[in-house]
Amino acid sequence: MLKTYELKVGPITRQLPVVPISQDLAIASFVLLGDAELTDYAAEQLAQLVPKKFDYFVTLESKGIPLAQELSRLTDHLQFVVLRKATKDYMRAPLKVPVTAITTSAPQELVLDGTDADRLVAKKVVIVDDVISSGGSLNAAQELLKRAGATIVGQMAILAEGAAADRPDIQYLAKLPLFPID
């Protein structure tokens, strides 16, 4: 029988499958893609926490995209920036940094299109994602935005997983535990 974890975000409840990601650790698998109800609710709540003055939301491909879209709509920001997980042929002078994330075993990179980098020079940005866990993806995003000349004025997610819940530099709506495997 599949073990699940009951996640509560405000009035919304989801049963998340608990899946092993290594020999000694399992996570509750949270997939925001396709969950319009939770995306809308989370965006409404997080929109109340964003700094008053900022220029762009920045999110990471791919599960943060619907959240950034809805946050942009709710806060009257016409555009947001997506940090990609691979270089695309259309990118002009992309900025790249390596990234390690808790849910991905293979080495990855985070990529900021040079066109977006130019747009972010001297701008105030809020990083938004579905889950912040080990902080590897967040650190890579911070590095890319620093290279682009942006100032990070906020960092937020729907969920803070494991020790990320103790970080004073992020805002989130609910905690998500990690599950040690004996």
Side-chain angles (χ1 to χ4, degrees), residues 31-176:
V31 179
L32 186 63
L33 295 174
D35 193 336
E37 178 188 33
L38 184 53
T39 299
D40 291 350
Y41 176 79
E44 288 168 5
Q45 299 307 303
L46 290 171
Q48 297 173 38
L49 304 175
V50 296
K52 298 229 183 285
K53 292 189 178 195
F54 71 99
D55 300 297
Y56 294 100
F57 286 108
V58 176
T59 193
L60 292 73
E61 188 177 48
S62 65
K63 293 190 289 181
I65 293 173
L67 181 61
Q69 170 82 32
E70 184 61 10
L71 276 167
S72 293
R73 187 187 70 76
L74 290 171
T75 61
D76 295 321
H77 285 75
L78 300 178
Q79 295 182 322
F80 62 95
V81 173
V82 178
L83 304 177
R84 305 295 301 265
K85 291 184 179 172
T87 304
K88 303 296 180 182
D89 291 341
Y90 62 78
M91 291 181 170
R92 184 188 60 76
L95 304 177
K96 307 174 194 180
V97 295
V99 62
T100 5
I102 191 172
T103 56
T104 308
S105 55
Q108 286 188 314
E109 62 182 5
L110 207 54
V111 183
L112 175 61
D113 187 347
T115 303
D116 288 330
D118 290 347
R119 195 167 18 134
L120 295 178
V121 173
K123 299 297 184 187
K124 295 178 180 175
V125 301
V126 176
I127 299 173
V128 60
D129 207 357
D130 61 333
V131 180
I132 296 174
S133 187
S134 65
S137 297
L138 185 60
N139 291 340
Q142 291 167 344
E143 176 62 27
L144 277 178
L145 294 168
K146 179 180 172 184
R147 287 188 195 174
T151 300
I152 299 166
V153 296
Q155 301 178 123
M156 52 182 48
I158 298 171
L159 304 174
E161 187 173 51
D166 298 327
R167 290 180 62 147
D169 62 330
I170 64 170
Q171 294 178 296
Y172 60 91
L173 301 179
K175 294 179 182 182
L176 190 61

Side-chain angles (χ1 to χ4, degrees), residues 5-9 12-16 30 35 37-38:
Y5 172 76
E6 184 174 272
L7 173 69
K8 291 185 181 213
V9 180
I12 298 173
T13 301
R14 297 290 184 263
Q15 294 298 323
L16 306 180
F30 176 71
D35 193 336
E37 178 188 33
L38 184 53

